[in-house]
Amino acid sequence: MLLTCFLFLVSAGAIYFACEYFVNGVEWFGRKLNLGATATGTVLAAFGTALPESAVTFVAVMFGKTPAARDIGVGAALGGPLVLATIAYAVVGFALYAGRKRLKRPDLRVRVDNKRLARDQSWFLAIFVVKVGLGLVAFAWKPWLGVLFLLAYVAYVWREMRDDTSAPEGEDELEPLTFRPHDANPSMNWVMLQTGLALVVIAIASRTFVWQLEALGDFFHLSPHIVALVLSPVATELPETVNALIWVRQGKERLALANISGAMMIQATIPSSLALFATPWLFDTPLIVAGGVTMVAVVALWAMFRRGSVEARWLMPIGGLYGVFALFVGWWFGAH
């Protein structure tokens, strides 16, 4: 138990420090490719941090030897977007509210492209509604629809790269590359080395963190379903949440929310396509509730960003929806 607690804390710390290197490296990577802040967050950062979770889903649904093992992959495909749409946005709100004096902000307004984020939420919601709807019906050719989810993500990336109207972060806002602190213009090789190594550490530390969380669940006799549906998604989405926290502390909420938005799109498409290929993709009650809570959160976010001005404190209550889901899962498996 002591070793489990030690590894739990060490892996959490490793994720945070590796994310510090990752966000610094991915900003430079976006600069080298001449991308704006939004595309850097929605495509580069999101793809990098979502890779470990997608790998978890892939292993679970493709190589799981039992239906229960494959169900873990389906749960991850639903739990990831739920965590991002609730906890991750709430963390951004709390971080902006707590750091308003240090950032010397005259107000609590979230400085982002509100119309673009509202459009991202509507894009995600359209895909997610189809994703949940497919979990309610059974028909022979359902697995082939996994291809459509992959194509949807390709279309999303094409749109982000083509329509990145946000200006690149200014030179004065970009900190020196951590691996080359005295180099005003580090080479692409150094940028890729730092970003790649940070991503490897994040992947290893994330898996270690999830394993220790599962061990703690066993120690405290928690239901495996509660661990799989409530705790594991929080752990696997930790890199995105930490990235957002770091960027908000730097006053770059545009990058933070772009990272979350892009990760949500990945979680709505790639893991879902993998699960459709390899499982019946039929939802039980907790998964249906997870989908419903996610849609409520996304509609609320869409309504806020569509107004054109969002304050940090408006994002904070969104996190409570995850608490509602956790209470429901605890009650459901306790009663059954």
Side-chain angles (χ1 to χ4, degrees), residues 81-94:
L82 174 57
V83 171
L84 292 170
T86 55
I87 294 177
Y89 275 97
V91 166
V92 170
F94 277 108

Side-chain angles (χ1 to χ4, degrees), residues 25-333:
V26 83
E27 283 187 69
W28 272 103
F29 199 73
R31 172 66 55 76
K32 292 292 184 179
L33 297 178
N34 199 31
L35 297 178
T38 305
T40 299
T42 57
V43 179
L44 297 182
F47 187 79
T49 52
L51 213 54
E53 300 96 283
S54 298
V56 171
T57 303
F58 175 77
V59 172
V61 300
M62 294 295 183
F63 302 106
K65 297 181 179 179
T66 64
R70 288 189 289 272
D71 285 346
I72 292 175
V74 176
L78 262 292
L82 174 57
V83 171
L84 292 170
T86 55
I87 294 177
Y89 275 97
V91 166
V92 170
F94 277 108
L96 279 173
Y97 186 83
R100 62 191 185 282
K101 292 183 179 179
R102 182 175 52 81
L103 294 173
K104 299 179 181 179
R105 295 286 179 84
D107 53 44
L108 292 173
R109 185 171 57 86
V110 183
R111 287 158 173 76
V112 293
D113 185 344
N114 291 284
K115 290 184 178 179
R116 183 165 188 154
L117 277 175
R119 187 179 63 185
D120 282 352
Q121 301 303 324
S122 60
W123 185 290
F124 169 85
L125 187 60
I127 294 174
F128 195 78
V129 167
V130 175
K131 169 179 174 173
V132 173
L134 289 175
L136 305 179
V137 295
F139 49 92
W141 46 276
K142 185 194 292 189
W144 291 101
L145 295 179
V147 176
L148 296 181
F149 284 93
L150 295 178
L151 293 176
Y153 183 69
V154 171
Y156 171 77
V157 171
W158 178 81
R159 189 203 70 182
E160 291 295 296
M161 301 295 282
R162 179 175 176 270
D163 189 33
D164 190 13
T165 54
S166 62
E169 297 290 337
E171 290 290 338
D172 56 329
E173 296 181 28
L174 188 56
E175 298 179 358
L177 189 71
T178 309
F179 275 18
R180 303 284 290 178
H182 304 298
D183 193 342
N185 187 26
S187 69
M188 187 62 153
N189 289 337
W190 280 108
V191 172
M192 293 178 65
L193 178 64
Q194 176 176 314
T195 308
L197 287 177
L199 194 56
V200 169
V201 174
I202 289 171
I204 295 173
S206 296
R207 290 310 304 144
T208 304
F209 188 84
V210 172
W211 288 332
Q212 306 319 307
L213 194 63
E214 292 171 351
L216 288 172
D218 290 339
F219 182 82
F220 290 109
H221 304 293
L222 296 178
S223 166
H225 296 89
I226 293 178
V227 175
L229 287 174
V230 179
L231 301 181
S232 290
V234 175
T236 55
E237 302 303 331
L238 196 58
E240 287 88 347
T241 307
V242 172
N243 281 353
L245 179 62
I246 292 169
W247 268 320
V248 170
R249 287 178 56 240
Q250 297 174 354
K252 300 176 181 177
E253 60 264 44
R254 180 173 55 179
L255 273 166
L257 292 182
N259 186 195
I260 296 172
S261 179
M264 286 175 64
M265 281 302 303
I266 292 176
Q267 292 297 332
T269 53
I270 296 178
S272 303
S273 66
L274 296 174
L276 277 166
F277 291 147
T279 73
W281 191 255
L282 289 173
F283 295 171
D284 56 12
T285 300
L287 289 178
I288 294 173
V289 172
V293 173
T294 303
M295 286 188 276
V296 169
V298 172
V299 169
L301 291 168
W302 172 80
M304 281 190 281
F305 289 118
R306 190 171 180 268
R307 292 182 72 254
S309 180
V310 178
E311 291 194 9
R313 57 189 174 186
W314 297 355
L315 297 175
M316 293 156 61
I318 294 290
L321 289 173
Y322 198 80
V324 172
F325 173 69
L327 289 174
F328 169 80
V329 171
W331 168 80
W332 175 264
F333 289 109

